[in-house]
Amino acid sequence: MARRDIEFNAEGVTLRGWFYPADGATGTAPTIVMAHGYSAVKEMYLDRYAEHFAAGGLNALVFDNRNFGASDGEPRQEIDPWAQVRDYRHAITYATTLTETDGNRIGVWGSSYSGGHVLVVAAIDRRVKAVVSQVPLVSGHDNLRALVRADFLDGFREMFDADRLARFQGDPPAMVPVVAEDPLAPSALPTPDSWQWFTETGKTRAPSWKNEVTLRSVEMLAEYEPASYIAHIAPTPLLMLPARKDVLTPTELAIGAYEKAREPKKLRLLPGGHFDAYVKGFDVSSGPARDWFLEHLAP
């Protein structure tokens, strides 16, 4: 497949990724804009989704989030959800400048953290004509409390406050592991399946992935509420793909958010846990997404 490297300016920060032209297209085609979730880089299976979309007649534009992977941005390894939302919008603008893109047929796809981002983007950017949100984070407040024991929360707040003071005094931001083998050890994503997927995928597919984010990234996650935008997505068609046994972005939170969305919308439960969508459940997750885009981005 004839993918090419791309880069574009996001208000002073260069973001880099890949563009996959639609197979068999003789003119312009719909373009799906895609980025990864919390700390992940594009090599962590986004190429598989982009290839699948391109084989179905859709252009796919994949990019690394700022501060990660091939993209520029400082501080490195910092995840600002609102900066990432804005970067989706910069990527849409860039996509519309490409000769292969029909600017009236733009879709957005996101997974996990970016599954929350695309809910926000679809609600506020009417250039988006279809959205797929896979295993999404929908509420930072509720998600953090589902993952972190109540008696640990005060300790996190103390760490956030100490880091804020240290940065005010000129120190570099504190860092925390993304995942840890011990789910009770400090980490951003404290589940056993997170440890397994990130460490294995980092070794086999994505050597640029690093097991660290700024502590401030965790604080910003706790403040982020994509579900507050979900009722405003309509009339843009929404497909949500939660996983039945998701313990990282809990299934019931995603379904609760979906119930607040307005038509047109569709919910399809994926088998397994959060990370199964990328690997053994890939066909089950990628096929419905492709079909949703083809249905709603038709000429």
Side-chain angles (χ1 to χ4, degrees):
M1 190 163 295
R3 92 178 181 200
R4 65 178 185 264
D5 293 339
I6 58 167
E7 63 178 46
F8 57 95
N9 179 33
E11 294 185 336
V13 175
T14 299
L15 305 183
R16 298 182 179 87
W18 302 316
F19 183 79
Y20 292 75
D23 282 5
T26 56
T28 60
T31 297
I32 313 306
V33 175
M34 311 167 59
H36 222 318
Y38 202 88
S39 88
V41 294
K42 62 187 183 300
E43 290 82 3
M44 297 172 116
Y45 295 103
L46 290 199
D47 50 343
R48 294 188 70 194
Y49 285 94
E51 289 168 0
H52 191 70
F53 294 160
L58 302 161
N59 299 319
L61 191 157
V62 183
F63 67 98
D64 273 331
N65 289 303
R66 66 173 57 212
N67 309 334
F68 288 86
S71 289
D72 292 347
E74 298 288 341
R76 299 304 292 176
Q77 305 301 117
E78 177 151 291
I79 305 168
D80 180 338
W82 287 105
Q84 292 186 351
V85 165
R86 289 191 294 272
D87 287 342
Y88 257 96
R89 303 185 74 186
H90 294 314
I92 291 169
T93 300
Y94 171 69
T96 64
T97 70
L98 302 177
T99 58
E100 296 95 337
T101 295
D102 181 341
N104 294 314
R105 294 191 286 161
I106 298 289
V108 291
W109 178 98
S111 186
S112 195
Y113 211 35
S114 67
H117 298 344
V118 295
L119 300 177
V120 179
V121 173
I124 62 181
D125 196 324
R126 290 302 167 194
R127 295 175 297 175
V128 175
K129 299 301 190 293
V131 53
V132 175
S133 175
Q134 176 177 289
V135 294
L137 176 132
V138 295
S139 169
H141 178 277
D142 293 344
N143 215 119
L144 188 68
R145 280 152 182 79
L147 293 178
V148 179
R149 279 175 33 179
D151 56 329
F152 286 6
L153 289 174
D154 284 344
F156 265 106
R157 293 190 186 99
E158 291 172 2
M159 293 169 63
F160 296 154
D161 293 343
D163 178 53
R164 189 174 295 277
L165 178 60
R167 287 186 282 108
F168 180 80
Q169 295 172 339
D171 293 339
M175 307 300 289
V176 64
V178 178
V179 294
E181 189 169 12
D182 179 359
L184 295 181
S187 69
L189 306 178
T191 67
D193 60 341
S194 297
W195 164 260
Q196 181 179 1
W197 186 82
F198 273 102
T199 55
E200 290 181 0
T201 308
K203 290 175 184 176
T204 59
R205 294 181 63 93
S208 68
W209 177 77
K210 296 180 180 179
N211 187 19
E212 64 175 7
V213 291
T214 64
L215 180 62
R216 179 167 48 179
S217 300
V218 182
E219 184 176 25
M220 288 189 281
L221 182 155
E223 301 165 352
Y224 186 45
E225 297 295 321
S228 64
Y229 286 83
I230 200 166
H232 306 302
I233 294 174
T236 303
L238 165 66
L239 173 64
M240 187 179 284
L241 300 171
R244 285 185 178 274
K245 298 179 180 179
D246 197 328
V247 296
L248 181 60
T249 56
T251 313
E252 63 271 18
L253 296 182
I255 294 174
Y258 173 82
E259 291 174 349
K260 299 175 183 177
R262 299 186 175 115
E263 298 289 348
K265 64 178 182 177
K266 184 176 182 180
L267 179 77
R268 178 161 179 167
L269 287 172
L270 303 177
H274 186 87
F275 297 99
D276 289 324
Y278 303 107
V279 191
K280 62 184 179 182
F282 172 77
D283 291 339
V284 182
S285 65
S286 61
R290 175 205 58 207
D291 294 346
W292 187 257
F293 287 131
L294 289 173
E295 176 183 356
H296 294 287
L297 300 177

